[in-house]
Structure formats: C-alpha cells, structure tokens
Amino acid sequence: MLLVLAACAAPVSDLPAAQDTARGDTGADDTATDTGPTGPDVPPPALTASEVGAALDVALAGEIPTFPEAIGAFSALMALGVGCTPDDRFFKILDPEGCLAPSGVTYSGAGGAVGGWDDAGEVYTYELRGDLVIIDAAGVPYEMGGDIDTVVTPYVGGLAFSQQFLGTFRYPAAPTWLGRGTSGSAWIEADIGDDGALVAQVDGGYDLGGASVYFDALTVGGACGSAPTGAIRLRDMSGYWYVFTYGPECDTCGDVAYAGDSLGAACVDPTAAMAGIGEAVRTWMSDHPVVTE
C-alpha cells in the first residue's frame, strides 16, 4: 500500500533549490496573484478622433428615424390594397404566397397600423407593427419587421411628442431615411414649439448612413440651451465603440474615447438632425388635424 501511495504522489521539482517555487498546502503558487480570466486583446482604433467626428456627421446627415415617413409610406401602399386588405390601415395575410391586389401591389406577412385622435381630440396616437413585405406596382419592396409606437399631445404653443422604435424598416422608393433603410431600438422624447423651438432627447441606436450609431441621452434644448449635451457612440468595424461626449463648454465639440482611452477632441453638430424630428412631426400633425363631428 505504501508503494501505491508513493506512486500517486506529486513529482519532485526538477528545479534547483534556489529556483524552486514556494507552494502552500494546496500546491498552488502562493507568490502569484490570481487576476481572474482575461479577455481578448483590444485591437487598435482604426479612426482618429477627427475621423470619428466626420463619420458621425455623415451618419447624422441620414436623419433620425421618426414615424411619419414609415407610417406615411405604409398607409399609401395599404390604400392600394383593395381585394387584399379590409381597409387602408390593417391586414393579416398568412398565405406564404401573399395576395396580389388589382392595383398591382402584392401583400404578404402580417401586421398593420392603428391610430388617430382620441374621442376628446386631445391626444393623437399611432402604432405600426408587423412582420411583412409589400411590393409596390413598380416592384419595389416595403420591408418591415418591428414596431413604431408614437404619442403626440398638443398644448398651447406646441406639441409634446414621444416615440418608441424597434426593428427594421426599408422602402427604397422613399426619399428619406426609410429609402436607405435602418434597424434599431431607440426612444425619442420632445417638446416641439410652434415657433420652431425644440427640446428633445434621443436614447438608443440606429443604423444611419451605413454606420451603427448609439445615442446616450443626446439632448438639445436642455442644460446647454440649443447646444447639444450627452454622448454619441460609433461602432468600429472590430465591434468596439468610439464614444464621443460633448464637453461642458456648451458647443458642438467634445472628447472621443476608444476602449476607455481618449483619442482627442472632435466636433459633431446634430442640430439639423434633431431639428428634423420637430419638422417631420409638425408637418404630419398639420396634415392630420383633429376631426370633429
């Protein structure tokens, strides 16, 4: 039995005595500090701070998605669905071959839109939800899988607006962001003045202008007045994020960081993109006034 136990014992170190590692009762190296598992090496940034700023400017030129474009195109196509859809707002087609309307428009999938003014004419709501493809008479597909839910409440001098956006939307025939298509999950809260004044905050991400962009409480009309506050992230090809954060100077400039390290300063002006939110909503509401009997 002693021979068996001796055969199972740990081997004696081949190191000279001066180089032998100190060990405790467990056999572990008592001189080492366990730092836990390590992650992959972070690749070096592919862009400079100024290049990140330029890329964000290009992305923001592609507009921030809002409901009027998506719902407007959907409603226009649904109005051509006589013979396939019960009305111009809602349809439910589960036949994989879809339905070809006399207008030449093909409908497949399931979904619809429901909305309008409440009975008191005080709140306007609209929701577009579905997993569908509508192919117009020219052969251009309107593709969506997701949900856009919006609430607009008029008040003296302006509109209070909120929007939740989730999913993928694309219709190449549209001239706006919808024509380029986007995927995302984002929220907008805004007060839109009749005089053009805007207080708005965007949180969440979209694909914009071929780039993946994420807004961390991007705000105009807040602590810095018309100047922006918050941060905007740009996804690197490697999967890591550049984080552009507006500084305390209340201008359009700030710091760019990558993997926690500063790359330097850049400037990004979101004014036009944020103003586009207010313009799109004001125009839609002007075209959809309260209907009274």
Side-chain angles (χ1 to χ4, degrees), residues 181-193:
T182 191
S183 294
S185 176
W187 297 262
I188 299 174
E189 296 282 347
D191 282 309
I192 304 164

Side-chain angles (χ1 to χ4, degrees), residues 57-138:
D57 276 333
V58 171
L60 289 173
E63 303 166 284
I64 296 175
T66 50
F67 80 94
E69 293 86 348
I71 290 177
F74 176 82
S75 298
L77 290 169
M78 291 299 291
L80 302 174
V82 176
C84 289
T85 63
D87 57 40
D88 65 349
R89 297 183 304 163
F90 180 79
F91 77 97
K92 183 178 182 180
I93 297 173
L94 301 179
D95 185 342
E97 296 182 0
C99 178
L100 175 60
S103 62
V105 180
T106 302
Y107 301 82
S108 61
V114 177
W117 291 96
D118 65 357
D119 292 340
E122 297 175 349
V123 180
Y124 182 90
T125 61
Y126 216 110
E127 181 177 17
L128 172 61
R129 176 181 294 178
D131 184 2
L132 58 90
V133 178
I134 302 173
I135 303 175
D136 68 20

